[in-house]
Amino acid sequence: VIRCRAAVAWAVGKPLSVEEVEVAPPKAGEVRVKIVATGICHTDEHLLNGGFPDVDFPVIPGHEGAGIVESVGEGVTSVKPGDKVIPLCLPQCGECTFCLNPESNYCLKSHLSKPQNLLPDKTSRFTCKGKQIHHFLWVSTFAEYTVVPEYAVAKIDAAAPLDKVCLLGCGFSTGYGAAINAAKVKPGSTCAVFGLGGVGLSVVMGCKASGASRIIAVDINSDKFVKAKELGATDCVNPHNFEKPIQEVLTEMTGHGVDYSFEVIGHADTMVAALASCNMNTGVCVMVGELASRSTISVDPMLLLSGRTWKGTLLGGWKMRNSLSKLVSSYLEKKVNLDLLITHTLPIAKVNEGFELLRAGKSIRSVLLF
């Protein structure tokens, strides 16, 4: 058993508490990882606000981390102690019908099929003050040591700086892949990106890498426009500056609407606005933002009957165990620049400060270090 620090969420709506926790050794088919760095993602905020009704408290959040394998359980072959790895919040078991489908990146062991509050054997590896602490998406990267199933971890290049490539565990991969894999943005096309947080700006980067000729960045926080233009946005629009609905503004700007739109906020009204802002016949709208649990969207069916495509994406469509090494290589070869997304680096003791920066719209990505 290892004793280490972890940021524990004891109850919904309460600040995180940095505690000493005990982390049990890995069982068969499991890997214990020393987390070096972890990003703060909106999904963690969603968890703290009670947005995951199936997640039990107390829980250790965090799902965008990178670290080094400390030990492995019986039967583990894909990683060994000393390997640099990224834990996966979307597992890839390699055996289910989705994993065997080359066009799918879903896995039936995902939290959308089964709760991931406990490891597959229905027990936790975390205790604190004599109490069982739950896992989050199996990864719980707000702990200095965490235990994950082997199929929820991917080995990466030993040269990778963990305080940067941790963003590949969720935010960058989700946004960049939404453009490249989900939308399949074509060269010369027009795109609109709703929401310019870390994921939205990664969508901008993906649209630029795909050769889009016009990338319209949409956000109610105009402070984010400088960074958006630095990463490839050609136009920036604040909906508060217009009397008419933003979808009408975008349609007027482009003639018939954009070729591709991306909602990266997680609000029902902006989901509909993003759909309505793309070309009525061949436009593709990708849902990236996470709506509140059990919320619904009311939409005019004519928006779809005319031919638009409306789709969602999980982690940008990447089969993560297969793809992470390639994404890390892209970073090391300077084909993508994750560094531009990191605005704050904080010690784990300042985890609550990191969430305050997120809520205030003052950070793109804060990275916590142990």
Side-chain angles (χ1 to χ4, degrees):
V1 174
I2 289 177
R3 288 177 174 77
C4 65
R5 292 166 296 162
V8 179
W10 289 101
V12 172
K14 302 288 186 188
L16 288 158
S17 177
V18 178
E19 309 272 7
E20 182 181 82
V21 300
E22 295 86 39
V23 185
K27 295 184 181 179
E30 296 176 357
V31 180
R32 186 159 62 181
V33 179
K34 176 178 172 57
I35 298 294
V36 173
T38 180
I40 295 178
C41 176
H42 261 287
T43 301
D44 299 309
E45 169 77 346
H46 198 56
L47 166 69
L48 298 179
N49 291 335
F52 282 84
D54 297 331
V55 171
D56 296 322
F57 285 73
V59 61
I60 296 174
H63 63 288
E64 190 180 82
I68 299 165
V69 175
E70 178 272 335
S71 58
V72 299
E74 182 186 343
V76 171
T77 57
S78 62
V79 295
K80 64 183 184 305
D83 284 346
K84 285 187 176 181
V85 293
I86 292 177
L88 311 177
C89 54
L90 182 62
Q92 185 185 340
C93 74
E95 298 172 352
C96 71
T97 53
F98 285 93
C99 283
L100 294 172
N101 180 347
E103 296 183 1
S104 161
N105 79 316
Y106 187 64
C107 175
L108 284 173
K109 291 183 166 61
S110 160
H111 70 282
L112 296 176
S113 292
K114 304 174 181 178
Q116 292 175 341
N117 304 321
L118 300 169
L119 290 183
D121 71 349
K122 306 299 180 212
T123 62
S124 171
R125 302 293 168 269
F126 298 122
T127 52
C128 180
K129 299 177 179 175
K131 291 185 177 177
Q132 172 182 276
I133 309 295
H134 294 90
H135 295 248
F136 178 53
L137 305 180
W138 283 340
V139 291
S140 292
T141 57
F142 287 3
E144 192 172 5
Y145 287 85
T146 189
V147 178
V148 299
E150 182 181 13
Y151 46 75
V153 68
K155 180 180 175 179
I156 60 169
D157 194 312
L162 298 177
D163 60 334
K164 304 294 192 296
V165 298
C166 59
L167 269 60
L168 296 174
C170 178
F172 177 80
S173 300
T174 297
Y176 194 74
I180 288 178
N181 300 326
K184 294 182 171 59
V185 170
K186 293 177 182 174
S189 60
T190 58
C191 303
V193 182
F194 288 67
L196 301 176
V199 181
L201 290 171
S202 299
V203 175
V204 171
M205 294 167 78
C207 292
K208 183 182 179 183
S210 298
S213 61
R214 195 171 185 191
I215 304 167
I216 305 169
V218 182
D219 203 293
I220 58 173
N221 181 353
S222 298
D223 293 343
K224 295 186 175 181
F225 292 166
V226 172
K227 181 70 75 173
K229 288 198 169 179
E230 183 184 0
L231 293 173
T234 55
D235 307 74
C236 293
V237 177
N238 187 330
H240 286 173
N241 294 341
F242 298 89
E243 297 289 324
K244 61 183 68 171
I246 189 63
Q247 56 265 42
E248 292 182 19
V249 174
L250 293 171
T251 300
E252 288 177 10
M253 286 174 69
T254 56
H256 299 287
V258 297
D259 299 306
Y260 306 95
S261 62
F262 302 84
E263 203 278 2
V264 204
I265 303 165
H267 291 164
D269 55 347
T270 44
M271 289 279 182
V272 176
L275 176 64
S277 70
C278 67
N279 177 309
M280 67 184 297
N281 182 234
T282 58
V284 175
C285 177
V286 181
M287 301 169 65
V288 188
E290 198 163 11
L291 275 83
S293 179
R294 301 193 175 98
S295 57
T296 58
I297 300 176
S298 177
V299 62
D300 179 352
M302 282 303 294
L303 287 173
L304 295 168
L305 189 66
S306 59
R308 289 180 180 90
T309 299
W310 199 12
K311 64 194 299 188
T313 182
L314 281 173
L315 263 176
W318 306 102
K319 281 187 183 287
M320 289 299 271
R321 285 185 83 192
N322 295 353
S323 304
L324 260 177
S325 61
K326 298 168 194 166
L327 287 166
V328 168
S329 294
S330 293
Y331 171 75
L332 292 174
E333 293 163 10
K334 297 184 166 48
K335 293 177 182 174
V336 297
N337 191 348
L338 303 175
D339 304 28
L340 295 173
L341 299 173
I342 300 170
T343 50
H344 299 78
T345 303
L346 304 166
I348 187 65
K350 293 189 175 180
V351 58
N352 289 309
E353 188 178 310
F355 277 95
E356 288 305 319
L357 289 165
L358 176 76
R359 293 168 191 137
K362 293 179 179 175
S363 66
I364 295 172
R365 260 304 185 269
S366 293
V367 171
L368 301 171
L369 301 178
F370 284 97

